[in-house]
Amino acid sequence: MRTLDERLQMASELHKQGFNCCQCVAIAFDDTINIAPEALSAATVCFGGGFGGQGEVCGAISGMAIVDSMLHYAGPSSKMTVYANVRQITQHFADLNGSIYCRELRSKAPVNTTGNIICHKPCSEYIADAIRILDNKINNK
C-alpha cells in the first residue's frame, strides 16, 4: 500500500502529464481498489473539468467518490452507506475550499454563488486536498 507522500507524488506527476483531476485522484489509489491505472484512466476521464468540462462538481471530488464507492459498495443494500461517505468527504472538501464546483474553484470571484469565500488554488492543490482527505478516511485519521 502506498504512503500518502507516494500518492501525492504520483498524482502530481500524472497531472503534469496531462491527466485531469479525477484521473489523478483515482489512479493514486489504484493499489487500494485493485484496478489497473489504464482502466481507471478511461473510466474517470469524463469527470474532468467538472463533469465533461462543464464546471460542475470538481473532478478531484469525483475521484474521491469513485474510490470510496469501490471500497464500500457491496450491492444495493450498501448504497446509503456509500452516499453518506460521499457526503462526508465532499463536505470536508467544501470546508477546506469554499466550494465543490469546478467553475467556482477556478473562477476569479472571491465568493461562490452562496456567498462562501472560495480558496483559490491551482488544480494540483485541489487534487492534493482530495488525496489527503481520502487517505485520512481510509486510514481512519
Side-chain angles (χ1 to χ4, degrees):
M1 181 102 92
R2 287 188 196 102
T3 67
L4 173 58
D5 287 339
E6 290 169 334
R7 292 184 198 293
L8 292 169
Q9 182 62 37
M10 180 181 196
S12 175
E13 291 301 318
L14 289 167
H15 197 247
K16 288 175 189 171
Q17 293 172 33
F19 289 86
N20 70 36
C21 298
C22 185
Q23 290 172 308
C24 292
V25 172
I27 294 169
F29 288 91
D30 67 337
D31 61 319
T32 63
I33 57 176
N34 297 317
I35 297 177
E38 298 79 13
L40 277 171
S41 180
T44 58
V45 66
C46 62
F47 295 97
F51 200 74
Q54 298 179 85
E56 296 298 328
V57 173
C58 171
I61 294 170
S62 296
M64 284 193 301
I66 290 164
V67 172
D68 193 78
S69 294
M70 294 299 297
L71 291 171
H72 296 104
Y73 184 73
S77 64
S78 64
K79 180 172 60 176
M80 298 314 286
T81 299
V82 171
Y83 289 178
N85 288 342
V86 170
R87 282 192 302 272
Q88 178 188 34
I89 58 181
T90 300
Q91 187 60 55
H92 191 158
F93 186 95
D95 291 344
L96 279 176
N97 297 300
S99 181
I100 64 168
Y101 298 104
C102 182
R103 77 173 68 81
E104 292 178 353
L105 294 166
R106 295 177 61 182
S107 103
K108 304 253 188 269
V111 295
N112 65 18
T113 55
T114 59
N116 294 323
I117 295 173
I118 298 173
C119 182
H120 294 285
K121 312 186 248 193
C123 289
S124 60
E125 292 186 31
Y126 295 124
I127 292 167
D129 287 345
I131 289 171
R132 285 185 192 99
I133 291 167
L134 189 55
D135 189 81
N136 286 340
K137 183 178 184 304
I138 290 169
N139 293 303
N140 296 314
K141 295 181 183 173

